Amino acid sequence: MEFPTYELSPWNYILTAPAIFSYPIIPENYVHWTQTPESHIFSADLPGVRKEEIKVEVEDSKYLIIRTEAVDESTIPGRSFMRKFRLPGMINIDEISAGYEDGVLTVMAPRSITRRGLLIDPAAVPERLEVLARAA
């Protein structure tokens, strides 16, 4: 009587190796970015961090910085976190708002100008356009 022999493929060793799954699939400093017609929304999971330890700031009117800092020198924040994003050009910087609820930080950056369709009335265009300067 013969017993069946099973050959293990290399995938069995790779998929069961603890080194592959010892790291989280989503990095700890991951921030989800979504855009809507009205605003850009950044959301970050920051469990265990107090509201006082979170700092959201705009640098040089171009960069959004989200970080955690200690409230005073004797304490350390619940989690070390820092991300820097380049903001799009059409953002109303004065109306950026942030909220922290149930361990999730949400930053909303509203757009300053919404895109609208351009309508040219054919009656408003003159029949003959005058050329002021010729191209070289």
Side-chain angles (χ1 to χ4, degrees):
M1 172 178 228
E2 285 186 37
F3 293 104
T5 58
Y6 296 103
E7 291 184 28
L8 294 176
S9 71
W11 291 108
N12 290 347
Y13 297 110
I14 293 173
L15 293 176
T16 58
I20 292 176
F21 298 107
S22 63
Y23 298 104
I25 294 174
I26 298 175
E28 289 185 18
N29 60 351
Y30 179 75
V31 176
H32 183 73
W33 169 68
T34 308
Q35 61 178 331
T36 63
E38 297 84 26
S39 63
H40 294 270
I41 302 168
F42 301 89
S43 61
D45 290 331
L46 299 172
V49 178
R50 295 183 310 184
K51 190 176 187 177
E52 300 83 29
E53 296 173 340
I54 300 171
K55 188 172 185 179
V56 178
E57 59 186 340
V58 176
E59 180 182 276
D60 296 333
S61 299
K62 294 180 185 179
Y63 300 102
L64 175 71
I65 301 172
I66 302 170
R67 73 173 108 204
T68 57
E69 287 185 350
V71 177
D72 54 27
E73 295 176 3
S74 64
T75 62
I76 58 171
R79 178 177 167 195
S80 178
F81 183 87
M82 194 277 200
R83 285 297 307 258
K84 186 175 185 176
F85 302 95
R86 182 169 176 95
L87 290 171
M90 298 188 314
I91 294 294
N92 191 350
I93 294 172
D94 297 329
E95 293 185 15
I96 292 177
S97 62
Y100 184 67
E101 186 175 336
D102 297 330
V104 178
L105 173 70
T106 305
V107 180
M108 294 189 69
R111 296 178 186 222
S112 61
I113 299 173
T114 57
R115 294 183 180 174
R116 294 188 177 102
L118 180 63
L119 176 65
I120 299 175
D121 185 16
V125 178
E127 289 183 29
R128 183 168 186 268
L129 295 176
E130 188 174 326
V131 177
L132 298 176
R134 298 209 179 259

